Amino acid sequence: MKRKEKVEVNCYTCNDPVIIQPYRLKKTKRFFCKKDCQIEWQKSTEYKNIHARKECYTQVICSYCTKVISKKKSLLREHYNFCNHECRNGFMSKSNDKYNPNPSKPHVSTKCLDCGYSISIPMSVFKKNINGHFCSPDCYWTWKSKNLSGEASPYYKRTIMECSECKKELAVTDFEQERNNHHFCSRNCYSIFRSKFYVGDKSPMFGKKRPELIEPSRIRILQMLQNGIIKKESNIQKNVERFLKDLHIESEAEKTMGYYSIDHYLILLHLAIETMGDYWHANPQKYQLSNVNATQLKGIHRDKRKQTYISRHFGINILYLWERDILKRDIVCKMLLSLYVRNNGILKNYHSFNYSIVNKSLELNKDIINPLWVNNISQ
């Protein structure tokens, strides 16, 4: 079937050529090249006259440009009618004082309180701010920093007191008076005062134990160790884990047992292994009780309490593998682990430095060395 050729007509508004289908010639007499041309025609008097019956248009004169316009009867005003917003704005600007429904409010001339610049402000604002007015926010904040800060502020409230150390006068708030018994003019005075009255046995916390704080803290740290939040694993612990894997022994690291955490717990056998650092646990092959420091002495007391607690409450004799043996005598450690497992935790001695290999077999040394907590260390 042969298609009909398109027809060229002229735009009704701008007279530009428009290509249309032939069937459209039967439906309408006006054609437009674009939407703007159609809208422009719809604003014309011709369009409004065509639709006057439906829309109830009537002819009126614009109050500003005196042009005859068509307007809906429902939109007619009693006194003034305009053809568009431009005519309305022009009319209002010429007769502002007489016809403006929102006339400008009276202004008052004054000067900026800070810089003295002349400004004009509404009467309502002038009456509201009786203290003064400003030309900009910068001037307001500058004036406020000079006149309403420190002692000049209406909210300033201080009490003059003496420094507890040097007796110098200082201003103290009510909150500081209620919270602190002593007040200081400087950090230096505070440090000097504390060195006199809050050091050693003069401290209010000297010799006091607070189990209500210590016990929850101990439990929380043990849980964090077991959950892996705190990573305490050292290199020698990793070596012992490798020994256990080589011997096919299933273990659990940082097992919580009551108040303490065990380095390696043998799950199926209900046995425990501790890895002992030579410095932190004061290896008796290197240290004597007379030459240990405060940190080592604290560790010795803790090891003694831990051994007693685990033995008494869980019935386990802990096997102690020391750092020097783990790093330099790994065969001794492996053979001692095998013997410990094979005998269900029963040994003649539980410290690795008391064993040696003789003729390819593990034997207990004749000269037994005890850890420092055995040498009359009180708990």
Side-chain angles (χ1 to χ4, degrees):
M1 183 176 179
K2 187 177 180 180
R3 295 181 62 183
K4 295 182 180 180
E5 295 182 358
K6 292 185 179 181
V7 181
E8 181 178 332
V9 295
N10 293 329
C11 176
Y12 192 76
T13 301
C14 64
N15 208 32
D16 288 344
V18 182
I19 305 301
I20 63 170
Q21 295 288 348
Y23 74 89
R24 293 183 61 189
L25 293 172
K26 299 178 182 179
K27 293 186 177 183
T28 183
K29 297 178 181 180
R30 301 173 186 87
F31 302 95
F32 304 95
C33 61
K34 52 188 176 181
K35 189 71 175 178
D36 292 341
C37 289
Q38 183 180 1
I39 294 173
E40 185 68 24
W41 177 74
Q42 290 174 350
K43 293 180 180 179
S44 67
T45 305
E46 180 186 1
Y47 175 83
K48 294 177 181 179
N49 291 333
I50 294 173
H51 298 83
R53 184 176 297 175
K54 295 181 180 179
E55 301 293 343
C56 300
Y57 279 87
T58 185
Q59 300 289 330
V60 295
I61 298 175
C62 177
S63 300
Y64 181 70
C65 66
T66 66
K67 182 180 177 181
V68 179
I69 56 174
S70 294
K71 198 166 186 179
K72 286 183 180 180
K73 293 181 180 180
S74 60
L75 298 179
L76 287 177
R77 299 292 181 265
E78 183 177 356
H79 299 291
Y80 305 101
N81 293 283
F82 305 98
C83 53
N84 51 41
H85 286 289
E86 294 178 357
C87 288
R88 177 190 179 278
N89 295 338
F91 179 83
M92 297 295 289
S93 63
K94 281 189 175 182
S95 54
N96 182 48
D97 296 335
K98 187 176 181 180
Y99 300 106
N100 190 355
N102 299 309
S104 60
K105 297 180 180 180
H107 280 55
V108 178
S109 296
T110 183
K111 291 186 177 181
C112 176
L113 196 60
D114 183 58
C115 66
Y117 184 77
S118 297
I119 54 176
S120 178
I121 58 176
M123 178 62 75
S124 59
V125 178
F126 181 81
K127 292 180 179 179
K128 184 177 180 180
N129 300 330
I130 59 176
N131 294 326
H133 307 276
F134 304 92
C135 61
S136 65
D138 292 338
C139 284
Y140 167 73
W141 290 112
T142 303
W143 179 86
K144 189 174 181 180
S145 65
K146 296 176 183 177
N147 300 277
L148 293 179
S149 62
E151 296 181 2
S153 173
Y155 303 104
Y156 182 85
K157 190 177 180 181
R158 302 286 192 278
T159 304
I160 302 300
M161 303 186 70
E162 289 185 348
C163 174
S164 299
E165 176 58 30
C166 67
K167 307 305 178 183
K168 180 181 177 181
E169 290 187 350
L170 67 154
V172 182
T173 63
D174 294 342
F175 174 76
E176 291 174 342
Q177 291 184 54
E178 295 175 0
R179 186 178 181 183
N180 303 317
N181 296 326
H182 303 281
H183 308 282
F184 305 94
C185 61
S186 65
R187 185 74 183 178
N188 186 38
C189 285
Y190 169 76
S191 301
I192 295 173
F193 186 86
R194 284 195 65 88
S195 65
K196 294 178 181 178
F197 302 103
Y198 289 89
V199 176
D201 56 356
K202 297 179 182 179
S203 173
M205 297 303 297
F206 181 79
K208 292 184 179 181
K209 294 183 179 180
R210 300 183 64 184
E212 71 277 7
L213 297 180
I214 296 174
E215 199 62 27
S217 177
R218 188 207 300 263
I219 295 173
R220 185 171 62 254
I221 291 174
L222 288 173
Q223 290 176 349
M224 293 172 70
L225 281 170
Q226 189 173 15
N227 297 334
I229 300 174
I230 299 177
K231 294 184 179 180
K232 185 186 172 185
E233 191 177 36
S234 62
N235 290 331
I236 56 176
Q237 284 180 287
K238 293 178 182 178
N239 288 352
V240 173
E241 286 182 1
R242 191 176 68 252
F243 297 162
L244 293 170
K245 288 182 180 180
D246 294 343
L247 297 171
H248 304 289
I249 300 173
E250 188 176 355
S251 64
E252 178 182 347
E254 301 299 342
K255 169 69 174 178
T256 299
M257 302 184 75
Y259 296 123
Y260 297 96
S261 175
I262 297 297
D263 291 340
H264 306 280
Y265 174 71
L266 308 188
I267 301 171
L268 300 178
L269 303 171
H270 188 54
L271 299 175
I273 300 169
E274 285 283 283
T275 55
M276 311 293 283
D278 289 345
Y279 171 79
W280 299 105
H281 300 273
N283 190 333
Q285 293 178 309
K286 293 184 176 182
Y287 301 96
Q288 299 297 323
L289 194 59
S290 59
N291 61 0
V292 296
N293 57 34
T295 301
Q296 292 173 309
L297 188 61
K298 185 178 179 180
I300 292 170
H301 283 282
R302 185 171 56 250
D303 291 336
K304 174 60 178 176
R305 292 194 300 268
K306 188 173 185 178
Q307 182 195 38
T308 304
Y309 180 85
I310 297 299
S311 177
R312 182 179 299 170
H313 292 84
F314 296 93
I316 300 176
N317 292 318
I318 303 173
L319 174 63
Y320 296 94
L321 300 180
W322 290 81
E323 180 179 356
R324 177 184 291 184
D325 300 323
I326 294 171
L327 298 178
K328 298 183 179 181
R329 301 201 307 159
D330 55 337
I331 299 177
V332 172
C333 293
K334 288 183 179 181
M335 295 181 71
L336 184 58
L337 280 171
S338 299
L339 181 63
Y340 182 62
V341 171
R342 194 163 54 249
N343 293 346
N344 293 323
I346 299 175
L347 296 173
K348 294 180 180 179
N349 190 276
Y350 293 89
H351 296 274
S352 60
F353 48 62
N354 285 323
Y355 287 88
S356 301
I357 297 177
V358 180
N359 296 327
K360 298 183 179 181
S361 62
L362 186 67
E363 293 187 5
L364 185 65
N365 298 338
K366 293 181 180 180
D367 298 327
I368 300 300
I369 303 174
N370 291 321
L372 295 185
W373 68 71
V374 178
N375 296 332
N376 298 322
I377 294 292
S378 61
Q379 297 185 16

